[in-house]
Amino acid sequence: MQLHENHSLAAYNTFGIDVKADFFVKVQHLSELKLILSNPLYLRLPKLFLGGGSNILFCSDFKGLVVHLELKGIEDLGDGLIKVQAGENWHHFVLWSLSKGYFGIENLSLIPGNVGAAPMQNIGAYGVELKDVFEHLEAYHIATGEIHNFDCASCRFGYRESVFKNIHKGAYVILSVTFKLRCNANVDTDYGIISEVLNNRGILTPTPKDVSDAVIFIRESKLPDPKEIGNSGSFFKNPVLSLSDFEPIKKNHADVPFYPSGTGQVKVPAAWLIEKAGWKGKRIGNYGVHEKQALVLVNYGGAKGSDIYKLALDIQSSVENQFGVHLNMEVNIIH
Ligand code: EPU
């Protein structure tokens, strides 16, 4: 385990923001994590635990210790139960499951990031969320050094939400996640665009691999590849509105898309609101709003995190002024 000082984080966040951490260390085993966290030199320093760095925006250098979690391993426990270490790449795990005949996460193909970060915000796409296949996780309690187990109920998953983003924020490091996958090849193609792509391909009885391929195709055609253009996927969450808040929007914009979300509530695509407010494809020097998906902010190269954050604030107030809707940021902002 090697400790680096004044280390660039550019390669460790998908926005590609070039900030520095005072201290940086890669951790491949639990024993290394324990060692570094009990070292008196770092005890009082602010700490940041990074997985794939796909949901984070650095606005300045990090004055503390960054721990890059690289715990690896996928273990087949039988009966569709699969234990995956936090440092495994999410999409690699999706492909692994398909190759072994385990299904249920094909709709979550190509989501950037690592397995350990997936429960934090209950990743979701094309009608499936992590909570649908989640069994339990093991997490390291930073304050006591104990390992705690969390089942589905104790994670309190919601739309891009879990206890690790609110009441337990900063308290735990997720070490491993155990999934309950299916052995039957039933697929979920309810999300319009998936059936559209499958139909266009002439596939009438899709396999999970067909669904995965369709999702990869959709994501690649709409979302920028972080290896080419720095970004962090959806920057904002889709707002959930009461019917009374939604009514005036619907009255002025008959074309507004919306989806029922619990009783008396609708979810409205933030991308639609941002696009209507005139931001889609807007470029300010080396950063801007993606031209194909208004929910994605991008770094064309060399942008500062604080500039992208300022853009996000401008979008927030412009959508608020125009529609009376507050957009919450999905991405973790590190000031
Ligand atoms: N739309 C626009 N303008 C745009 C893009 C979309 O008006 O530029 C409207 C269209 O009406 C479209 C609707 O928004 O039908 C929904 O768009 P899309 O299917 O692309 O989904 P989204 O709601 O924008 C969410 C997730 C994505 C996930 C997709 C697919 C959130 C915050 N985002 O986006 O997740 O891939 O659904 O399920 O819930 C991510 O979290 O990083 C992410 C990419």
Side-chain angles (χ1 to χ4, degrees):
M1 188 171 50
Q2 203 190 339
L3 190 90
H4 304 268
E5 283 186 39
N6 210 22
H7 194 70
S8 169
L9 298 176
Y12 300 95
N13 69 99
T14 58
F15 255 122
I17 305 292
D18 193 7
V19 289
K20 291 195 164 54
D22 282 357
F23 302 98
F24 177 89
V25 69
K26 293 178 179 181
V27 158
Q28 281 159 355
H29 300 283
L30 176 59
S31 55
E32 293 180 336
L33 182 67
K34 286 183 173 164
L35 204 65
I36 194 84
L37 293 183
S38 58
N39 187 325
L41 282 176
Y42 311 117
L43 228 45
R44 283 181 215 290
L45 286 181
K47 291 174 196 69
L48 181 71
F49 299 90
L50 267 187
S54 60
N55 204 39
I56 200 161
L57 178 66
F58 287 105
C59 291
S60 57
D61 289 337
F62 189 74
K63 298 278 158 213
L65 170 69
V66 170
V67 179
H68 193 244
L69 297 159
E70 299 185 3
L71 300 107
K72 300 278 189 208
I74 303 180
E75 210 180 327
D76 186 341
L77 305 176
D79 215 17
L81 286 175
I82 317 290
K83 181 175 179 178
V84 189
Q85 298 297 315
E88 288 287 345
N89 171 268
W90 173 264
H91 183 59
H92 170 254
F93 168 52
V94 173
L95 296 180
W96 178 93
S97 72
L98 287 169
S99 74
K100 299 286 179 190
Y102 291 123
F103 311 120
I105 50 175
E106 50 281 353
N107 296 40
L108 304 179
S109 295
L110 213 62
I111 293 187
N114 287 357
V115 168
M120 292 264 177
Q121 53 154 349
N122 182 26
I123 58 168
Y126 308 106
V128 174
E129 285 185 337
L130 173 115
K131 72 168 169 44
D132 304 329
V133 289
F134 178 88
E135 184 67 20
H136 64 263
L137 63 78
E138 284 176 329
Y140 182 85
H141 191 227
I142 299 168
T144 60
E146 290 169 357
I147 292 177
H148 295 168
N149 278 301
F150 287 80
D151 62 10
C152 202
S154 48
C155 287
R156 293 197 222 153
F157 291 124
Y159 166 57
R160 297 294 197 275
E161 275 299 337
S162 78
V163 284
F164 303 104
K165 271 183 88 174
N166 42 67
I167 56 167
H168 293 323
K169 193 175 163 86
Y172 285 95
V173 179
I174 295 176
L175 299 173
S176 74
V177 184
T178 300
F179 298 88
K180 175 88 173 121
L181 300 183
R182 280 188 280 104
C183 296
N184 68 52
N186 299 340
V187 290
D188 179 347
T189 57
D190 286 353
Y191 207 90
I193 186 122
I194 295 191
S195 44
E196 209 176 292
V197 170
L198 292 168
N199 280 341
N200 288 343
R201 293 180 171 191
I203 300 170
L204 299 176
T205 47
T207 63
K209 177 73 170 61
D210 293 329
V211 173
S212 170
D213 289 344
V215 168
I216 290 172
F217 171 78
I218 298 162
R219 292 189 77 98
E220 282 181 339
S221 58
K222 285 193 171 177
L223 298 168
D225 179 353
K227 288 193 201 93
E228 286 158 22
I229 303 177
N231 77 90
S232 148
S234 303
F235 199 93
F236 300 96
K237 291 205 235 179
N238 288 331
V240 177
L241 306 180
S242 66
L243 289 178
S244 56
D245 285 343
F246 179 60
E247 204 45 49
I249 302 176
K250 178 86 183 142
K251 210 170 144 208
N252 293 327
H253 305 272
D255 62 329
V256 58
F258 62 97
Y259 318 96
S261 174
T263 32
Q265 291 188 311
V266 291
K267 199 187 262 183
V268 177
W272 184 90
L273 298 166
I274 297 168
E275 183 173 343
K276 280 281 167 187
W279 291 96
K280 189 170 182 174
K282 195 169 175 74
R283 183 169 176 162
I284 308 136
N286 51 6
Y287 61 98
V289 180
H290 190 53
E291 56 192 10
K292 292 192 196 141
Q293 196 0 321
L295 201 45
V296 178
L297 305 189
V298 291
N299 170 13
Y300 290 105
K304 285 200 278 180
S306 51
D307 287 338
I308 294 175
Y309 181 61
K310 162 87 172 43
L311 170 64
L313 292 176
D314 289 345
I315 292 173
Q316 246 180 358
S317 45
S318 137
V319 167
E320 196 138 11
N321 288 339
Q322 197 160 330
F323 297 102
V325 174
H326 178 74
L327 295 181
N328 286 314
M329 296 185 194
E330 191 199 284
V331 168
N332 261 314
I333 312 291
I334 307 294
H335 292 285

